[in-house]
Amino acid sequence: MSDSSPVAEDSALFAEDLAEAADLDRSDPLAWARELFWAGAAEPPYLDGNSLGRLPKRSVRRLLQVVEEEWGRGLVRSWNRWMDLPTKVGDRLGEVLLGAGPGQVVVADSTSVNLYKLAAAALDSLPGRAVVVTDRANFPTDRYLLAGLTANRRLNLRLVEFDEVMGPTPEAVSTAVGEDTALVLLSHVDYRSGALVDMAGISTVVRDAGALALWDLSHSVGAVPVSLDDSRADLAAGCTYKYVNAGPGSPAFLYVSRHLQGRLRQPIWGWMGKQDPFAMEQPYTPREGIGSFLSGTPPILGLTLVEEGVELLAELGIERVRSKSLALTSHLIGLADRRLAPLGFQLATPRDAGRRGSQVTLRHPRARELCARLDGSGEVILDFRPPDRVRLGCAAPTTSFTDLARAVASLAGAAVELTSKDAG
Ligand SMILES: Cc1ncc(COP(=O)(O)O)c(C=O)c1O
């Protein structure tokens, strides 16, 4: 006797999805990389690597070694080795993940502080221009720090509404900038929709207007190959705790294109940005080059974890990471079309793979309740962004196709339960 109840039908579909996912996992050339990361036994699918990346096993060993040997035994003498880490790790991050030649990246401070330093330096370099442009939907910290900077300087902040799913395009940016524009701050990959924007095209539009472009790379670094030099980007910053797996609160990075380094001066004049910090003499004379964007003592433990995260990605290869990420997000969109669209979910991420970062966002009128339910049951780890978005992060080295099938089944199950609760 066949059981044709909706529950039995759902579990048959889920079994089908799981079998398909298992095949994809077997032929995944990057499947082995999961073993490089710490994971608990019988853990739920983790689809939130776009908030906090997983812990690489080797980072634990390296951190212990730095703590015991370099700090414990070496004590203050270890500063001989530590002093150059912000520029050394910056160069390596630039080479492996950012398409940036040496001498243009440092690892220091947080993303918020770095964006502030770069935006302030840019505004000081263009005193005759009164307008700063950003995306109305940009990440809050980006908008807030621009609001503060423009309020302090009596400048105008132009919050532009771009397409909700596709984000800013060169054409749309060209209508928002003009000869009054000093700075344009945009995200390379949007934190809500996961849209990947045309960095080279937009940088050209901004440059042609005589303004400077500042990029937030938090959702692209480590997930999408970035070509700062080739895109002729001016300035960039981003975090290392998502796809670089350097841990909560790990230091961020900033990039200043070589051609701007003599022209820009950052606002936080600390001793680490000064020539010969230990000379202790009165006047502040900035260091030559990218080192002038440093301010205070480097966070050595965090820098160590950034270095490990970058080396791990160098081993995996950012192109291989990208191609698995696209396979994951394409597969997830296919599953969402089949299993979730009939339950009221709507895709809020570009379908065009070339315009996608490493996450899939779905909208549902009851997303908040659905996510709270899944949070409570612990079946899957994903996140909710108000008012109605569910984000499913697909960090390629640590996400399997089976994780995606399980997450979709959980979302579908929660949506069906909500509806039947209402009906009952
Ligand atoms: C796009 C973007 N910018 C900035 C940040 C956070 O900046 P900070 O590390 O300074 O808190 C985030 C955090 O998720 C982000 O997604």
Side-chain angles (χ1 to χ4, degrees):
M1 196 181 76
S2 78
D3 179 352
S4 60
S5 71
V7 172
E9 206 175 288
D10 283 351
S11 51
L13 293 176
F14 177 45
E16 220 175 84
D17 293 345
L18 270 185
E20 185 190 15
D23 278 345
L24 290 166
D25 283 332
R26 267 190 295 278
S27 55
D28 168 15
L30 218 56
W32 60 276
R34 261 165 95 88
E35 292 306 312
L36 302 176
F37 294 82
W38 195 91
E43 211 177 58
Y46 184 61
L47 298 183
D48 212 356
N50 49 333
S51 291
L52 179 66
R54 278 189 184 275
L55 166 63
K57 288 177 186 165
R58 65 180 72 167
S59 296
V60 180
R61 296 191 289 274
R62 178 78 198 288
L63 194 59
L64 203 61
Q65 182 244 327
V66 171
V67 167
E68 288 184 345
E69 289 174 25
E70 298 186 16
W71 174 17
R73 267 188 271 285
L75 292 169
V76 76
R77 292 164 293 190
S78 294
W79 276 111
N80 293 334
R81 193 192 105 65
W82 292 337
M83 208 60 181
D84 293 334
L85 279 184
T87 46
K88 184 177 156 238
V89 180
D91 277 349
R92 187 71 177 136
L93 178 74
E95 178 192 354
V96 175
L97 302 177
L98 302 179
Q104 301 178 102
V105 180
V106 283
V107 177
D109 305 309
S110 64
T111 310
S112 304
V113 170
N114 288 340
L115 289 171
Y116 178 89
K117 284 179 170 182
L118 295 175
L123 295 179
D124 288 343
S125 77
L126 293 167
R129 292 171 172 247
V131 174
V132 175
V133 173
T134 194
D135 182 348
R136 181 178 286 282
N138 209 345
F139 189 78
T141 210
D142 302 47
R143 290 182 279 112
Y144 301 155
L145 67 91
L146 290 184
L149 268 169
T150 49
N152 288 340
R153 290 157 195 251
R154 298 182 193 287
L155 302 175
N156 303 321
L157 179 57
R158 193 175 287 158
L159 295 169
V160 183
E161 220 148 298
F162 297 105
D163 184 272
E164 257 196 351
V165 174
M166 301 307 281
T169 57
E171 299 70 37
V173 172
S174 72
T175 63
V177 297
E179 50 190 34
D180 56 354
T181 312
L183 177 70
V184 178
L185 166 53
L186 295 172
S187 291
H188 188 209
V189 169
D190 184 272
Y191 82 104
R192 292 193 313 175
S193 68
L196 169 67
V197 310
D198 175 0
M199 177 187 280
I202 293 175
S203 295
T204 303
V205 167
V206 174
R207 191 173 341 107
D208 289 349
L212 292 170
L214 168 54
W215 292 97
D216 185 335
L217 305 181
S218 296
H219 285 267
S220 49
V221 61
V224 174
V226 182
S227 310
L228 288 171
D229 288 351
D230 286 349
S231 302
R232 298 182 62 203
D234 296 313
L235 306 162
C239 74
T240 60
Y241 47 73
K242 300 179 190 292
Y243 299 106
V244 185
N245 306 295
S250 55
F253 62 88
L254 66 80
Y255 163 92
V256 180
S257 172
R258 195 177 291 286
H259 78 280
L260 288 169
Q261 288 179 14
R263 212 175 107 192
L264 300 195
R265 188 175 260 209
Q266 60 98 355
I268 306 175
W269 295 9
W271 67 320
M272 290 295 154
K274 190 190 145 295
Q275 280 175 16
D276 191 0
F278 293 97
M280 310 281 177
E281 83 280 29
Q282 286 298 330
Y284 174 85
T285 329
R287 280 165 68 164
E288 292 284 313
I290 193 70
S292 68
F293 283 81
L294 296 171
S295 298
T297 302
I300 297 307
L301 303 183
L303 268 160
T304 299
L305 295 175
V306 175
E307 195 173 23
E308 285 299 307
V310 171
E311 289 311 331
L312 193 149
L313 285 166
E315 210 174 289
L316 301 183
I318 189 66
E319 295 295 344
R320 273 196 291 174
V321 166
R322 173 67 171 157
S323 91
K324 175 164 175 198
S325 154
L326 287 179
L328 287 167
T329 51
S330 299
H331 184 67
L332 181 51
I333 290 174
L335 280 176
D337 286 344
R338 288 205 303 274
R339 309 283 183 236
L340 299 177
L343 299 170
F345 289 86
Q346 193 192 333
L347 182 68
T349 292
R351 278 190 188 274
D352 172 1
R355 292 282 270 108
R356 223 164 42 224
S358 202
Q359 78 184 46
V360 172
T361 305
L362 301 170
R363 301 183 78 170
H364 189 282
R366 302 179 73 181
R368 186 187 294 274
E369 287 164 88
L370 285 170
C371 290
R373 203 166 255 262
L374 293 175
D375 200 27
S377 71
E379 285 164 68
V380 55
I381 303 175
L382 37 73
D383 79 9
F384 166 70
R385 283 290 176 268
D388 60 356
R389 288 174 173 84
V390 184
R391 295 192 314 177
L392 301 128
C394 299
T398 56
T399 306
S400 67
F401 292 89
T402 301
D403 289 335
L404 303 184
R406 289 177 60 195
V408 167
S410 295
L411 275 169
V416 168
E417 260 177 53
L418 266 189
T419 328
S420 49
K421 199 176 101 198
D422 290 348

